[in-house]
């Protein structure tokens, strides 16, 4: 048992030396334990910024396109100690890639800091943002007509699909504008999948005007910025409220379109980097 005399002696010795006394160390773990005299505090000073160069590479960067992401991984990484991860939620529309430049390799006895990282999230195209932004959003006849006119170049007319062309969609949009002040009367479904809508003037119930609309149409748009276009099918819907029609469209299985576009990006990254590739969160607890 340590006596009071021995304790006083250690404190006196520490004050005379004017430095802490090391009582244990572990070189392998770079761990040191020191005893400080009463009233002393231990401060940490990092002078690494004064060195001619850092002791090791460390960084966190975000890239804007796949080519930049690939080039960064190849420039700073290695085939043995760098990994690439993909975290994808196609329903929520979230795609993210992470490259860990100094990841832990196959050697079970070797560890790495994993603090040199590159991030890349593909940027959605303006067309994709526009159509998804209005997906399932009811619009008045005039607003829907304006949206179709503004984005007419995106309307696709696949061969042998029986879907309306851009010209036919424009004609429908113009009809919407012409009937926006009329009162809706009835709707008759046609054998070709379309719908015949009847309108009357509020001040003349005998005046009848008919307009044909399409139940389905298709758009051809890129999912990602500077990417290839994909066909996206859409269903046209309408609802009557106070004698007025409101229209909207429902894009069909955008999650599968996003998955297909992402698969192309994944293939490009895997082939051009050559690094181990994983699906998941590299920093999950």
């Amino acid at each position: 048992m340590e006596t009071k005399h021995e304790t006083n002696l250690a404190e006196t010795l520490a004050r005379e030396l004017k430095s802490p006394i090391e009582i244990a160390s572990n070189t392998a773990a770079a761990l040191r334990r020191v005893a400080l005299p009463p009233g002393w505090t231990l401060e940490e000073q990092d002078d690494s910024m004064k060195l001619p160069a850092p002791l090791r590479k460390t960084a966190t960067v975000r890239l804007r396109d796949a080519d930049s992401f690939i080039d960064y991984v190849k420039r700073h990484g290695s085939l043995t100690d760098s990994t690439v991860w993909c975290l994808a939620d196609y329903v929520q529309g979230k795609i993210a890639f992470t490259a860990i430049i100094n990841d832990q390799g196959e050697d079970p006895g070797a560890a790495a800091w994993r603090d040199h990282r590159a991030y890349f999230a593909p940027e959605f195209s303006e067309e994709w943002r526009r159509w998804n932004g209005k997906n399932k959003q009811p619009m008045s006849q005039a607003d829907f007509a304006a949206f179709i006119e503004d984005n007419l170049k995106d309307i696709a007319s696949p061969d042998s699909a029986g879907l309306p062309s851009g010209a036919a969609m424009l004609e429908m949009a113009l009809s919407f504008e012409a009937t926006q002040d009329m009162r809706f009367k009835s709707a008759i479904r046609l054998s070709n999948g379309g719908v015949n809508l009847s309108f009357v003037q509020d001040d003349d119930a005998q005046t009848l005007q008919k307009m044909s609309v399409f139940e389905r149409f298709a758009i051809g748009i890129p999912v990602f910025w500077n990417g290839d276009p994909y066909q996206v099918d859409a269903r046209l819907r309408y609802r009557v409220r106070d004698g007025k029609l409101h229209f909207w469209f429902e894009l069909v299985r955008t999650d599968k379109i996003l998955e297909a576009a992402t698969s192309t990006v994944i293939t490009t990254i895997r082939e051009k980097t050559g690094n181990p590739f994983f699906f998941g969160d590299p920093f999950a607890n």
Side-chain angles (χ1 to χ4, degrees):
M1 177 181 295
E2 184 180 20
T3 65
K4 182 176 181 180
H5 173 73
E6 291 172 336
T7 302
N8 292 336
L9 180 61
E11 293 177 354
T12 301
L13 180 61
R15 283 195 296 270
E16 291 178 352
L17 293 175
K18 299 185 183 304
S19 62
I21 301 174
E22 183 174 321
I23 59 176
S25 65
N26 186 332
T27 304
L31 178 67
R32 301 176 64 195
R33 293 185 176 87
V34 298
L36 298 177
W40 284 34
T41 59
L42 186 64
E43 295 182 356
E44 181 178 306
Q45 293 183 347
D46 185 3
D47 294 328
S48 61
M49 296 297 293
K50 299 178 181 179
L51 297 174
L55 297 176
R56 61 185 179 86
K57 285 185 177 183
T58 176
T60 300
V61 300
R62 298 187 182 277
L63 290 312
R64 293 291 304 274
D65 58 30
D67 288 340
S68 298
F69 180 77
I70 293 168
D71 290 344
Y72 189 90
V73 174
K74 295 176 68 174
R75 178 183 179 88
H76 296 281
S78 70
L79 294 178
T80 57
D81 299 327
S82 300
T83 58
V84 179
W85 300 71
C86 177
L87 191 59
D89 186 334
Y90 300 120
V91 176
Q92 296 296 322
K94 298 179 180 179
I95 312 296
F97 295 88
T98 301
I100 305 178
I101 305 301
N102 56 347
D103 205 348
Q104 299 171 151
E106 296 181 351
D107 186 350
W113 288 103
R114 307 184 84 223
D115 57 0
H116 187 180
R117 306 167 189 170
Y119 296 96
F120 165 56
E123 183 177 346
F124 289 110
S125 69
E126 177 61 24
E127 295 88 344
W128 183 266
R129 294 178 187 275
R130 286 191 180 193
W131 285 94
N132 272 278
K134 289 294 186 179
N135 188 28
K136 300 179 181 180
Q137 301 296 317
M139 292 173 274
S140 67
Q141 284 181 240
D143 290 342
F144 186 80
F147 181 83
I148 293 297
E149 287 186 79
D150 290 343
N151 300 278
L152 189 64
K153 65 181 182 61
D154 299 332
I155 304 296
S157 182
D159 295 336
S160 304
L163 299 177
S165 63
M169 291 293 289
L170 178 59
E171 182 180 354
M172 180 184 70
L174 296 176
S175 297
F176 284 170
E177 291 178 333
T179 57
Q180 62 179 302
D181 295 327
M182 295 185 180
R183 181 167 53 86
F184 172 75
K185 182 179 181 181
S186 64
I188 301 176
R189 186 167 300 277
L190 306 176
S191 60
N192 62 2
V195 178
N196 224 13
L197 304 177
S198 297
F199 297 84
V200 294
Q201 294 282 4
D202 288 336
D203 58 353
D204 184 3
Q206 301 302 316
T207 301
L208 189 66
Q209 182 171 338
K210 293 186 177 181
M211 176 182 64
S212 295
V213 299
F214 306 98
E215 186 178 39
R216 294 175 67 93
F217 64 97
I219 57 176
I221 58 174
V223 176
F224 299 127
W225 172 74
N226 206 27
D228 296 328
Y230 286 81
Q231 178 182 325
V232 184
D233 292 336
R235 290 186 287 262
L236 183 60
R237 297 289 187 255
Y238 66 90
R239 179 176 60 205
V240 183
R241 180 183 297 171
D242 299 328
K244 296 294 184 181
L245 276 175
H246 288 77
F247 291 89
W248 71 93
F249 58 85
E250 298 175 354
L251 300 179
V252 180
R253 294 304 304 267
T254 54
D255 59 317
K256 302 305 292 183
I257 305 299
L258 179 57
E259 182 179 357
T262 304
S263 296
T264 301
V265 179
I266 290 174
T267 299
T268 300
I269 292 176
R270 297 185 73 164
E271 290 180 351
K272 291 189 176 182
T273 62
N275 292 103
F277 194 98
F278 304 95
F279 291 93
D281 185 351
F283 306 111
N285 295 325

